Structure formats: C-alpha cells, structure tokens
Amino acid sequence: MGIKVEYNPDLALRNISEFKNGNRKEEECFPENIEAEKEYIFLKKDQRNYWLFGEIPLLETKGNSILSRPRASIIILEATHFLIDNEIYTKGRYKVIEVFKDDDVHFEGFDRVGAKTF
C-alpha cells in the first residue's frame, strides 16, 4: 500500500460562483476581490505538496484539469494536511504578490518571467 500525495506546481481554485451557489467552501474558491500584498486561506481535497521557496501561479479551475492561465503570482506561506470525516485535505495560507490583469505570459515553467538572471 502506498501513500497518495500530489505535487502541485500551482494553486488552482474554483470560481467564486461555486461558493455563492453552495457547492464549495469559500476557501476552495478564487477570491472575489483579490488584492496584491494580502493574505488568503485555501482549502484543497487530498494530500498536496506545494513549493514554499518562491512565487507560484494562482489559477482558476473548472475541475478535471481545466485550468486558466495564471491570474496572480503568490507565495504559499503554510500548508497543513488534516482529516475531515476520514478524508484527507490540505489547507493553508498564501500571500498575493501580483494580480495579473492581462493575457501576457507571466511564468515560464516554474519560473516567474524576468525573475532569473544569467
């Protein structure tokens, strides 16, 4: 028997309408009025690992790996695994570095565009 753990190079949250319609908790959804420099709480089902040493993209998901382009750059500040009704979840806190309001490319692979110096 193995341990199922998923590595996520990004944080993908549902549209806020999922919360408003009563389908998801607010922490599972993309913040309605997201702002740079603010901290937010997230909640994801299953045991997930996130990179904590730099910026990662914040995406919006429709589920089944249907993902938006990066909508913001964030830093995960903490991530904790825990159980609810014998199901594992990951909750945490992230800080928004920048909110993207265009369709430009902001990440290349795991790197923020312009962050690497050669």
Side-chain angles (χ1 to χ4, degrees):
M1 182 175 153
I3 299 171
K4 184 180 173 191
V5 178
E6 185 174 326
Y7 169 76
N8 293 125
D10 51 43
L11 178 60
L13 301 173
R14 299 292 180 130
N15 186 281
I16 193 66
S17 64
E18 292 289 320
F19 167 68
K20 291 179 178 181
N21 293 334
N23 301 325
R24 301 275 175 173
K25 295 180 180 178
E26 188 171 15
E27 296 83 7
E28 294 177 280
C29 299
F30 198 93
E32 189 167 21
N33 297 309
I34 190 168
E35 295 180 39
E37 299 302 316
K38 285 200 167 185
E39 293 181 12
Y40 298 88
I41 303 296
F42 71 89
L43 177 66
K44 298 289 289 183
K45 191 164 188 242
D46 298 323
Q47 188 167 340
R48 297 164 185 267
N49 287 337
Y50 295 97
W51 187 50
L52 302 177
F53 288 114
E55 296 178 49
I56 64 170
L58 177 62
L59 313 175
E60 192 172 298
T61 181
K62 294 182 179 183
N64 298 318
S65 298
I66 301 171
L67 303 170
S68 71
R69 293 186 63 116
R71 299 206 31 218
S73 178
I74 64 168
I75 294 176
I76 301 280
L77 301 171
E78 64 181 78
T80 304
H81 306 115
F82 68 104
L83 295 171
I84 297 177
D85 297 327
N86 215 29
E87 290 190 83
I88 195 157
Y89 285 82
T90 302
K91 67 179 175 179
R93 192 168 48 95
Y94 63 94
K95 180 178 180 179
V96 177
I97 303 304
E98 183 179 352
V99 177
F100 305 135
K101 300 186 185 294
D102 56 36
D103 286 329
D104 291 350
V105 175
H106 295 281
F107 283 87
E108 292 179 315
F110 296 114
D111 297 317
R112 178 83 188 268
V113 170
K116 274 190 173 181
T117 56
F118 295 96

